[in-house]
Amino acid sequence: SSLSAKYHNYFGLKAGPYWTGKSVNMATKEEYTPGITTDIRDNFRVFDSLEEGVIGYFEFTKFPNYAAIKTATTPEEYVTYIKNAGYATSSTYIQNVLNVVYQYNLTRYDYWVMIYWQKHWRIVIRRCIYQANGYAPFVFVLLIVFFI
């Protein structure tokens, strides 16, 4: 999407009332009633680089309503906690994300990320950026999002 390609917002982070950085107004869909999507326009956060976009996600998850994600020990728990905190309105969000995790066996990266994350999170992000080496950023972003 242009939100990720042009604005480095890989997670669809909206520019809510506490956001003081740059933003862009874009069309999106929300699912307020299960199975029924509504077309809306909303302001989304803009980041200047891939690294800032990934770091922006982790800054975003510091809000109190996301506290439970820090206790997650499985991808299923993490995705459930983040959905319940209000991150996504799609009624199929949890299953859609887990389908990607299972399809690409992304849990194989859990151990490495968990060991180094606490002390070296900036290094982890930089290594992922380096290892992507021309691949779609979304692939390694998934690695970070679901297992940290």
Side-chain angles (χ1 to χ4, degrees), residues 67-87:
I69 66 172
K70 306 291 189 241
T71 67
T73 58
T74 66
E76 295 81 3
E77 286 179 353
Y78 186 94
V79 176
T80 300
Y81 293 159
I82 202 164
K83 164 74 168 117
N84 291 344
Y87 183 77

Side-chain angles (χ1 to χ4, degrees), residues 104-117:
Y104 295 102
N105 189 26
L106 297 179
T107 56
R108 70 181 181 250
Y109 299 103
D110 288 359
Y111 179 77
W112 183 81
V113 173
M114 289 171 57
I115 294 298
Y116 291 99
W117 182 253

Side-chain angles (χ1 to χ4, degrees), residues 53-66:
V54 173
I55 291 169
Y57 169 80
F58 294 108
E59 294 294 323
F60 176 81
T61 59
K62 288 181 180 178
F63 286 113
N65 53 318
Y66 292 100

Side-chain angles (χ1 to χ4, degrees), residues 4 6 25 39 50 64 74-75 77 81 96 110 124 127 140:
S4 60
K6 187 174 180 180
N25 188 273
D39 294 326
L50 186 143
T74 66
E77 286 179 353
Y81 293 159
N96 292 344
D110 288 359
V124 171
R127 282 184 185 165
F140 74 87

Side-chain angles (χ1 to χ4, degrees), residues 90-127:
S90 170
S91 60
T92 58
Y93 175 78
I94 295 170
Q95 193 55 54
N96 292 344
V97 170
L98 292 177
N99 285 345
V100 173
V101 170
Y102 302 143
Q103 180 180 354
Y104 295 102
N105 189 26
L106 297 179
T107 56
R108 70 181 181 250
Y109 299 103
D110 288 359
Y111 179 77
W112 183 81
V113 173
M114 289 171 57
I115 294 298
Y116 291 99
W117 182 253
Q118 289 295 327
K119 293 183 180 179
H120 306 290
W121 66 274
R122 287 188 190 270
I123 293 170
V124 171
I125 291 171
R126 287 189 183 109
R127 282 184 185 165

Side-chain angles (χ1 to χ4, degrees), residues 28-46:
T28 188
K29 295 180 184 295
E30 296 293 340
E31 185 179 339
Y32 303 115
T33 303
I36 300 171
T37 58
T38 303
D39 294 326
I40 66 165
R41 293 194 68 83
D42 212 336
N43 295 320
F44 291 86
R45 297 176 182 204
V46 171

